[in-house]
Amino acid sequence: MATPEQARTAAAIPGGTPDIVAAGTLCWRIDKGKLEVLLIHRPRYQDWSWPKGKLDPGETTPECAVRETSEEIGLRVQLGLPLPSIRYAVAAGSKVVHYWAAHAGRSTAVPDGKEADGIRWCSPETARGMLSNPSDIEPLEALVDAHTRNDLLTWPLLVVRHAKAQPRSSWSRAEGERPLAATGRRQAVAVSRLLQAWAPERILSSPWVRCVQTVSPYVTKHNAKLKLVDALTESDAARRPGRARSAVEKAFDKRKSVAVCTHRPVLPLVFGVLRTHMTAQLAALLPTDDPYLSPGEAVICQVSSTNHGRIVSVEQYRAYDD
């Protein structure tokens, strides 16, 4: 059974639901002022390609892309710009591969010897001639185009709706103390796995229990900095919406990866701020209808590192829910 995230992805690609879903990365770096990308040689197929592989059960495509890159070439990457997905025929039917740009920096890639027995850093021009699958050129062209616009180097800003909480009707104490339900606690673990794909260094969260419980598995595992922001609570945002907007606006100031965890009624204020940082075309991708996001669902924006405050991509994923 496809995850909700997979189902949305498949619906967005002509041709219906694919038989095989895979994900991977185009790792890149700047060497002596020139853009280089990383190709891998796959002994099984005797071809040159990008690091990629099929989804494991209970895995979203972003998680798969990071895992496969780590397994095949030993790089633990954080996802950057989403790149065009490609679709092609295989023996089992149709296959879709979802790609992201991934800045490798000074990290060293080492092929695992099984899935990849060789690697090569090369210019985009050389990569075009080496790629065995012609459709692999499309995400490369998008990466080069982003580099030309000075928008390839980015940092992520994530917006997360807290996981499923206990029903209001069964809670008699203070609203801020209402915790996650049992399914919500499982969702919080899945949210942690999803966030790892972008590895936010900071978490801005409503101090209400259900939000803190949603981000705690990630904060604990990755030693992220957690800041509790009263302006992101339902009650404070309703009384003083300007404070909630200001808290989101300040998330841009440090120009470092950050996730914001809040409540359904606060999401329109959050998205309203994000819209001021992006084109109308991208703004159309943000949720507009209540409930905006499902519990445990996230919107991921990539913000240009060179064009301060400009959001250059929007994605939406739901953590795997059993």
Side-chain angles (χ1 to χ4, degrees), residues 124-166:
E125 293 74 21
T126 299
R128 289 187 188 99
M130 292 181 62
L131 286 166
S132 301
N133 186 344
S135 58
D136 278 340
I137 296 176
E138 185 177 358
L140 173 63
E141 298 291 356
L143 185 146
V144 172
D145 183 58
H147 174 66
T148 301
R149 300 193 313 268
N150 290 321
D151 283 334
L152 182 55
L153 185 62
T154 59
W155 56 269
L157 190 160
L158 299 85
V159 178
V160 183
R161 180 184 171 187
H162 68 72
K164 185 174 180 60
Q166 291 188 18

Side-chain angles (χ1 to χ4, degrees), residues 1-9 55 58-63 100 158-164 183 186-195 198 287 291-300 315-322:
M1 180 178 176
T3 67
E5 181 268 324
Q6 292 170 348
R8 284 198 303 275
T9 300
L55 271 66
E59 190 176 51
T60 60
T61 49
E63 294 168 62
W100 285 263
L158 299 85
V159 178
V160 183
R161 180 184 171 187
H162 68 72
K164 185 174 180 60
T183 55
R186 293 195 296 271
Q187 279 183 340
V189 175
V191 167
S192 176
R193 293 195 301 267
L194 180 64
L195 295 186
W198 296 275
Y292 312 104
L293 296 175
S294 299
E297 195 168 18
V299 163
I300 298 89
E315 303 171 83
Q316 185 174 331
Y317 299 99
R318 187 185 304 176
Y320 186 82
D321 187 356
D322 61 358

